[in-house]
Amino acid sequence: MSNMAPTEGLDGRKIVYDEDGKPCRSCNTLLDFKFATGKITSKMNSPIQTPTESKDNAMPMIPGHKTHAKVDPPDVEKLGRSSWDLLHSITARYPVKPTEQNKSEMKQFLTLFSHVYPCSWCARDFEKFIAKHAPKVNSRDELGRWMCEAHNEVNAKLMKEQFDCNLWDKRWKDGWDE
Amino acid sequence: MSNMAPTEGLDGRKIVYDEDGKPCRSCNTLLDFKFATGKITSKMNSPIQTPTESKDNAMPMIPGHKTHAKVDPPDVEKLGRSSWDLLHSITARYPVKPTEQNKSEMKQFLTLFSHVYPCSWCARDFEKFIAKHAPKVNSRDELGRWMCEAHNEVNAKLMKEQFDCNLWDKRWKDGWDE
C-alpha cells in the first residue's frame, strides 16, 4: 500500500484496501473509493453519480454498445442492497416443509456465501453471525426470521433502525397491499 | 390453481404459479403479478410504482417504523438486476490465483445458487447453463468471463444486446473512469 493512501474516508470510515494495495470497490462507498484513488479530494468537488436503471439511458454508452451504459461496478452500499434483495427473496421461496436435502443445501449455501461475498469485512461479519447463530432451516418462516435477524444485526452496526421481524413475510414475500 | 387464473400476462409472458396455485412474485414482473392476483386488469388502470431507494422517503412507512418504507418484495426483473450485481461482483473479487479450496467452493456455490435461486425457471436455466458449460474457476479473469457469458445467454433469451466480455473487468471490477 502506498504511503500516500488515506486510511480514513470522507465520512470518517476506514478505507479498505485489497492485498495488492488498491482500494476495494466492494468494501468502500463510491465516494471513499474515489477519494482513496485521488479522483476527488472532498465531498464538494465531485458529486457522485448514482445511476439507476431508468437513468442509464442518459449516461454515455459503452463503445460498440447500443444499450449497455457506462455504469460503474456497485459500491459496498449498492452491493449490500442487492444482496439483501436476493437473500430475503431466497428465504421467501424456501419450502414451507423443507426436505433434509433442502436444509443441508441451504446451510451450505449460507456458509459459502460468507466465503465468497465480495466485501471482505461484511463477509467476515456474516461468517461470525452464522458461527454464533446457526441458520434456522426447518421451515420457511424460521429461515425468513433468521435472515431478518441477520439483517438487523447489520442495521444495528450501521446505526439503522431495527426491522420488526414479525413483518418479514410482508416485506419479502407477500407485499403490503393484500 | 383457480380456473380464473390467467395463463398469460399483460406483455404476453406466461404467468408462473407456485405449487400452491398462487402466482410467484420472484418469477413474474410486478405488473403480471398484480394482473394475476386481480389487482389490475390492464396496463392502463394501475401504473406500477417502482420505488428506488431515493424515493422511499416519499412512500408510506411501515407501521411502527420511522425509516422502513412499505416497499414491495422484488419482482423477477429487480431480483435479476440485484443478483447479477452480486454474481459479477463475486467474480471481480475472486482470487487472481485461486487455491484448490477457492475453486472447489466457487463451483459448489454456483451449483447451490442454481438450486436456491427464488425464480424457479431462471434457476433451472442457470442449472442447465452450468451443466453445459462447467464454471471456469482457474483464475479471476476466467471466472469473470464465464459469468459474462452466462449473463449473455440470458440477454439472448430476453432479446437484449450482448455484452462484449472483453470489457467484463471495466464493468464489474475497475470501472470506466481510470
Side-chain angles (χ1 to χ4, degrees), chain B residues 7 9 13-18 22-34 36 73-79 119-122:
Chain B
T7 54
R13 272 175 291 225
K14 206 179 146 200
I15 291 177
V16 182
Y17 292 88
D18 282 342
K22 289 183 188 163
C24 165
R25 261 190 195 269
S26 345
C27 317
N28 299 293
T29 61
L30 189 56
L31 187 80
D32 281 352
F33 178 83
K34 294 208 171 195
D75 72 351
V76 67
E77 291 179 347
K78 181 159 199 295
L79 186 64
C119 162
S120 45
W121 59 270
C122 316

Side-chain angles (χ1 to χ4, degrees), chain A residues 116-169:
Chain A
V116 303
Y117 192 68
C119 163
S120 45
W121 58 271
C122 317
R124 276 195 300 275
D125 281 353
F126 192 55
E127 201 177 2
K128 279 186 211 159
F129 183 85
I130 290 178
K132 257 205 266 179
H133 312 274
K136 295 186 180 165
V137 295
N138 290 314
S139 71
R140 176 185 292 167
D141 191 58
E142 225 187 65
L143 186 63
R145 283 171 186 271
W146 180 88
M147 193 65 80
C148 180
E149 283 153 19
H151 197 158
N152 266 343
E153 175 144 314
V154 177
N155 283 333
K157 277 191 189 144
L158 299 176
M159 317 261 269
K160 288 183 180 173
E161 191 188 20
Q162 294 286 292
F163 188 85
D164 176 357
C165 289
N166 291 317
L167 302 174
W168 85 266
D169 50 352

Side-chain angles (χ1 to χ4, degrees), chain A residues 18 78 85 93 118 161, chain B residues 18 66 78 85 93 118 161:
Chain A
D18 282 342
K78 182 159 199 293
D85 265 1
R93 294 276 292 161
E161 191 188 20
Chain B
D18 282 342
K66 285 178 187 160
K78 181 159 199 295
D85 264 2
R93 294 276 293 162
E161 191 187 20

